Protein backbone atom coordinates (compact mmCIF):
# COMPACT_ATOMS: atom_id res chain seq x y z
CA UNK A 1 0.00 0.00 0.00
CA UNK A 2 1.46 3.33 -1.07
CA UNK A 3 0.18 6.79 -0.12
CA UNK A 4 1.43 9.58 -2.39
CA UNK A 5 0.55 12.66 -4.40
CA UNK A 6 -1.59 11.98 -7.44
CA UNK A 7 0.01 11.98 -10.89
CA UNK A 8 -1.73 12.63 -14.17
CA UNK A 9 -1.00 9.01 -15.06
CA UNK A 10 -3.23 8.01 -12.09
CA UNK A 11 -6.34 9.78 -13.40
CA UNK A 12 -7.73 6.79 -15.31
CA UNK A 13 -7.18 4.42 -12.39
CA UNK A 14 -8.79 6.97 -10.03
CA UNK A 15 -11.72 7.32 -12.43
CA UNK A 16 -12.27 3.56 -12.43
CA UNK A 17 -12.15 3.47 -8.63
CA UNK A 18 -14.57 6.42 -8.40
CA UNK A 19 -17.00 4.54 -10.65
CA UNK A 20 -16.80 1.41 -8.48
CA UNK A 21 -17.21 3.40 -5.26
CA UNK A 22 -20.21 5.46 -6.26
CA UNK A 23 -22.04 2.72 -8.15
CA UNK A 24 -22.70 1.05 -4.77
CA UNK A 25 -25.37 1.84 -2.17
CA UNK A 26 -26.33 4.42 -1.08
CA UNK A 27 -25.20 6.49 -4.09
CA UNK A 28 -26.12 4.22 -7.02
CA UNK A 29 -24.52 6.67 -9.46
CA UNK A 30 -23.81 5.68 -13.06
CA UNK A 31 -20.61 7.42 -14.09
CA UNK A 32 -18.99 6.65 -17.43
CA UNK A 33 -15.21 6.35 -17.54
CA UNK A 34 -15.04 9.56 -19.58
CA UNK A 35 -17.19 11.50 -17.08
CA UNK A 36 -15.19 10.29 -14.08
CA UNK A 37 -11.86 10.99 -15.83
CA UNK A 38 -12.99 14.50 -16.81
CA UNK A 39 -14.10 15.24 -13.23
CA UNK A 40 -10.71 14.31 -11.82
CA UNK A 41 -8.89 16.13 -14.62
CA UNK A 42 -10.97 19.29 -14.03
CA UNK A 43 -10.49 19.15 -10.26
CA UNK A 44 -6.72 18.85 -10.71
CA UNK A 45 -6.49 21.67 -13.29
CA UNK A 46 -5.94 24.56 -10.84
CA UNK A 47 -2.50 25.51 -9.60
CA UNK A 48 -3.97 25.24 -6.09
CA UNK A 49 -5.32 21.73 -6.70
CA UNK A 50 -3.95 18.97 -4.54
CA UNK A 51 -4.58 15.29 -4.97
CA UNK A 52 -3.51 12.22 -3.03
CA UNK A 53 -3.95 8.54 -3.79
CA UNK A 54 -3.71 5.14 -2.19
CA UNK A 55 -2.07 2.71 -4.60
CA UNK A 56 -2.38 -1.07 -4.36
CA UNK A 57 -1.05 -3.37 -7.11
CA UNK A 58 -0.40 -0.32 -9.35
CA UNK A 59 -4.06 0.74 -9.13
CA UNK A 60 -5.65 3.62 -7.22
CA UNK A 61 -7.95 2.27 -4.52
CA UNK A 62 -8.45 5.59 -2.76
CA UNK A 63 -8.19 9.28 -3.52
CA UNK A 64 -8.61 12.69 -2.00
CA UNK A 65 -8.74 15.59 -4.46
CA UNK A 66 -9.28 19.22 -3.54
CA UNK A 67 -8.08 22.81 -3.67
CA UNK A 68 -6.21 24.97 -1.21
CA UNK A 69 -8.40 27.97 -0.42
CA UNK A 70 -7.13 31.14 1.25
CA UNK A 71 -9.20 33.05 3.80
CA UNK A 72 -8.21 36.08 5.89
CA UNK A 73 -6.30 34.27 8.60
CA UNK A 74 -6.07 30.65 7.48
CA UNK A 75 -5.93 28.28 4.56
CA UNK A 76 -7.86 25.06 4.15
CA UNK A 77 -8.04 22.17 1.75
CA UNK A 78 -11.52 22.13 0.27
CA UNK A 79 -12.07 18.45 -0.55
CA UNK A 80 -13.99 18.04 -3.79
CA UNK A 81 -13.72 14.27 -4.09
CA UNK A 82 -12.88 11.59 -1.54
CA UNK A 83 -13.36 7.91 -2.19
CA UNK A 84 -12.17 4.53 -1.06
CA UNK A 85 -12.85 1.60 -3.37
CA UNK A 86 -15.39 -0.85 -1.87
CA UNK A 87 -12.91 -3.72 -2.16
CA UNK A 88 -10.71 -2.08 0.53
CA UNK A 89 -13.33 -0.28 2.62
CA UNK A 90 -13.47 -1.21 6.29
CA UNK A 91 -9.70 -1.69 6.54
CA UNK A 92 -8.88 1.77 7.91
CA UNK A 93 -7.68 2.96 4.51
CA UNK A 94 -9.87 6.09 4.50
CA UNK A 95 -8.67 7.18 7.94
CA UNK A 96 -5.06 6.58 6.93
CA UNK A 97 -5.57 8.62 3.77
CA UNK A 98 -7.01 11.53 5.77
CA UNK A 99 -4.04 11.43 8.15
CA UNK A 100 -1.63 11.33 5.20
CA UNK A 101 -3.37 14.29 3.56
CA UNK A 102 -3.28 16.30 6.81
CA UNK A 103 0.47 15.65 7.11
CA UNK A 104 1.11 16.66 3.50
CA UNK A 105 -0.97 19.85 3.51
CA UNK A 106 0.55 20.93 6.85
CA UNK A 107 3.84 21.25 4.94
CA UNK A 108 2.12 24.14 3.09
CA UNK A 109 0.79 25.67 6.34
CA UNK A 110 -2.69 24.37 5.59
CA UNK A 111 -4.19 23.03 8.78
CA UNK A 112 -7.89 22.66 7.99
CA UNK A 113 -9.93 20.45 5.68
CA UNK A 114 -13.52 21.13 4.62
CA UNK A 115 -16.00 19.16 2.54
CA UNK A 116 -19.65 18.55 1.86
CA UNK A 117 -21.39 15.19 1.97
CA UNK A 118 -24.97 13.93 1.89
CA UNK A 119 -26.83 14.05 5.19
CA UNK A 120 -27.79 10.59 6.44
CA UNK A 121 -25.20 8.72 4.36
CA UNK A 122 -22.57 6.44 5.98
CA UNK A 123 -19.87 8.93 4.99
CA UNK A 124 -21.11 11.34 7.69
CA UNK A 125 -20.15 8.94 10.50
CA UNK A 126 -16.83 8.22 8.80
CA UNK A 127 -15.93 11.91 8.60
CA UNK A 128 -17.07 12.58 12.17
CA UNK A 129 -14.91 9.65 13.37
CA UNK A 130 -11.99 11.36 11.62
CA UNK A 131 -12.46 14.71 13.37
CA UNK A 132 -14.80 16.55 10.98
CA UNK A 133 -17.68 18.47 12.53
CA UNK A 134 -20.96 19.76 11.12
CA UNK A 135 -20.90 23.53 11.02
CA UNK A 136 -24.39 24.77 11.82
CA UNK A 137 -23.70 28.27 10.47
CA UNK A 138 -23.16 26.95 6.91
CA UNK A 139 -26.02 26.75 4.45
CA UNK A 140 -25.43 24.86 1.22
CA UNK A 141 -27.26 26.55 -1.65
CA UNK A 142 -27.48 25.71 -5.31
CA UNK A 143 -29.41 26.85 -8.34
Amino acid sequence: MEFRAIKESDFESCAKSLIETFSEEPWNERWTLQQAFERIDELMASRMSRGFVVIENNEAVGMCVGRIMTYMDFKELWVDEFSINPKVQGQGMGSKLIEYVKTEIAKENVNNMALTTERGYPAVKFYEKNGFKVKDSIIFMHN
Side-chain angles (χ1 to χ4, degrees):
M1 209 61 59
E2 177 188 9
F3 293 80
R4 63 169 169 75
I6 196 170
K7 301 175 188 172
E8 192 170 340
S9 60
D10 296 321
F11 290 6
E12 184 172 339
S13 178
C14 286
K16 289 176 182 175
S17 185
L18 182 145
I19 290 168
E20 288 181 44
T21 302
F22 291 104
S23 69
E24 303 246 327
E25 289 288 337
W27 299 277
N28 298 315
E29 296 176 353
R30 300 292 172 244
W31 290 83
T32 66
L33 183 58
Q34 180 178 344
Q35 290 168 328
F37 184 94
E38 285 178 10
R39 175 148 175 84
I40 295 162
D41 187 49
E42 290 165 358
L43 292 173
M44 289 303 300
S46 165
R47 66 183 175 85
M48 297 312 292
S49 296
R50 299 295 181 274
F52 306 92
V53 290
V54 182
I55 302 293
E56 181 178 69
N57 299 323
N58 296 318
E59 295 292 324
V61 294
M63 73 171 163
C64 177
V65 177
R67 299 158 284 134
I68 294 177
M69 303 297 289
T70 300
Y71 298 94
M72 285 189 310
D73 54 354
F74 69 97
K75 292 183 179 205
E76 69 185 6
L77 179 71
W78 184 264
V79 177
D80 293 299
E81 207 59 73
F82 186 94
S83 65
I84 300 295
N85 192 294
K87 61 186 167 195
V88 296
Q89 286 180 8
Q91 301 175 20
M93 199 72 53
S95 296
K96 289 176 187 169
L97 179 56
I98 287 174
E99 285 307 310
Y100 177 77
V101 171
K102 286 179 179 179
T103 299
E104 291 302 302
I105 63 175
K107 295 174 184 175
E108 297 185 66
N109 295 318
V110 178
N111 298 304
N112 298 307
M113 293 174 70
L115 55 81
T116 60
T117 192
E118 294 286 335
R119 190 179 312 277
Y121 279 30
V124 174
K125 288 185 194 279
F126 166 77
Y127 291 124
E128 288 175 336
K129 181 183 93 174
N130 283 283
F132 288 81
K133 295 171 183 61
V134 174
K135 191 163 185 179
D136 292 331
S137 63
I138 299 291
I139 299 171
F140 174 74
M141 301 176 82
H142 70 97
N143 180 316

